[in-house]
Amino acid sequence: MTNTLRPVTGKTRVLAILADPIHHVKTPEDMNSLMTELGLDQIMVPFHVKPENLASVVAGLRGIESLDGFIVTVPHKSSIIELCDTLSPAAKMVGAANVVRRTKSGLHGDILDGVGFVAGLRNAGIDPEGKTAYLAGAGGAANAIAFSLAESGIKQLTIANRTCSKAELLVMRLREIFPTVDFRVGSPDASGHELVINATSMGLNENDPYPLNVESLTADQIVAEIIMQPEYTSLLKYAEKLGCTIHFGRPMLKCQIEYMAQAMGIDTQTHQQNRVQK
């Protein structure tokens, strides 16, 4: 993808990404490259939004006529669903959204974290089907990843969260939808699982604690992140020194970019075909 952006004019359509913090996000780079490659007069800009200001910011975005939609990331994925007018079946099931599109009916929310994460694993030669997995976190991204892992045919999934009740609630919901999968509520101990996933925000900052007990890790495990910046979180550094196979957070986004564009009404396939014909 090219990194040369098209000129921004009064006709340029705008997309946004909402996060707190915002410095670590990579979506604008990839989305802007995709839209430039497709020859679209659109641009994505990052907005740093505190949780207490989310509702007022979204209300303001509704009034921007040149705004086609926005991406939502940590910590707003669960809160945003209350601010949407309609939700996709996946967003309703997960209880979170990470992409919001303006439609004739208002703001429509969808969730793509899970499908993006599983696609990233598979692109790296890691197939979740039949595996046992440990998932740290029970927030918006963790919910989406848990559902997609279950859909992918995971054998057993243990979910651990600092607030245990959130993990218990997630496990209860998953058991109702996927009765053949062995779901468990876990502790910080990740031993005995083939795939270990950090789906929390712990690791964004240098002084963050580990999202799990790293002393429980063993060299035969695959340790995966959803955090993209820094690329090497403290968890991945520890796991790599231990001899574990590590999986970075960036592939989850890479696999989501086209899905995100399509979710916001961009017909990527048609635009690609038109450019090839030209």
Side-chain angles (χ1 to χ4, degrees):
M1 291 186 180
T2 179
N3 288 321
T4 304
L5 297 179
R6 294 168 62 89
V8 177
T9 71
K11 296 181 180 179
T12 301
R13 304 297 300 178
V14 180
L15 303 172
I17 178 168
L18 316 183
D20 178 35
I22 196 73
H23 64 84
H24 65 287
V25 299
K26 297 295 183 181
T27 308
E29 299 169 30
D30 292 343
M31 283 292 292
N32 285 325
S33 291
L34 175 64
M35 291 184 291
T36 298
E37 183 179 281
L38 295 176
L40 302 175
D41 190 9
Q42 288 181 292
I43 189 170
M44 174 171 279
V45 293
F47 291 160
H48 186 185
V49 181
K50 293 288 186 181
E52 60 269 26
N53 296 325
L54 181 64
S56 59
V57 168
V58 171
L61 292 177
R62 287 178 181 270
I64 301 176
E65 297 299 328
S66 58
L67 183 88
D68 289 332
F70 50 93
I71 303 300
V72 182
T73 188
V74 177
H76 305 310
K77 293 178 184 180
S78 297
S79 302
I80 195 65
I81 61 171
E82 300 297 331
L83 304 175
C84 292
D85 300 298
T86 58
L87 296 170
S88 70
K92 288 180 182 178
M93 183 170 55
V94 171
N98 75 326
V99 57
V100 179
R101 176 165 59 99
R102 185 198 295 276
T103 70
K104 292 181 180 179
S105 303
L107 298 180
H108 178 75
D110 201 353
I111 185 74
L112 300 172
D113 279 336
V115 293
F117 180 79
V118 170
L121 284 179
R122 286 179 168 153
N123 285 350
I126 303 168
D127 191 346
E129 185 175 0
K131 284 185 168 54
T132 59
Y134 174 98
L135 181 67
N143 272 253
I145 290 169
F147 277 93
S148 292
L149 287 172
E151 289 178 334
S152 74
I154 202 87
K155 177 183 177 182
Q156 179 192 38
L157 179 60
T158 299
I159 299 171
N161 192 63
R162 285 181 296 181
T163 305
C164 191
S165 59
K166 291 183 66 176
E168 291 171 346
L169 179 60
L170 178 54
V171 164
M172 286 175 57
R173 293 169 57 214
L174 289 165
R175 284 173 177 163
E176 292 177 359
I177 302 169
F178 304 100
T180 61
V181 180
D182 181 7
F183 295 105
R184 305 180 182 185
V185 175
S187 69
D189 186 344
S191 61
H193 299 81
E194 296 168 274
L195 177 60
V196 177
I197 305 157
N198 175 33
T200 77
S201 60
M202 283 185 272
L204 280 174
N205 301 307
E206 185 177 350
N207 296 325
D208 283 349
Y210 291 115
L212 52 92
N213 180 7
V214 292
E215 294 181 359
S216 67
L217 297 175
T218 53
D220 59 340
Q221 292 174 305
I222 302 165
V223 179
E225 267 286 5
I226 67 165
I227 291 173
M228 300 168 208
Q229 181 67 33
E231 180 181 37
Y232 270 96
T233 61
S234 56
L235 174 63
L236 290 185
K237 289 178 182 177
Y238 189 101
E240 188 174 54
K241 287 181 181 178
L242 195 62
C244 301
T245 298
I246 63 171
H247 181 73
F248 297 106
R250 191 66 182 267
M252 181 177 79
L253 173 61
K254 287 288 187 182
C255 291
Q256 280 190 84
I257 290 300
E258 190 162 331
Y259 292 140
M260 286 177 172
Q262 291 170 357
M264 284 189 285
I266 300 173
D267 187 349
T268 56
Q269 292 184 342
T270 298
H271 285 295
Q272 289 279 22
Q273 291 171 358
N274 290 342
R275 287 184 68 79
V276 170
Q277 291 172 0
K278 290 178 182 179

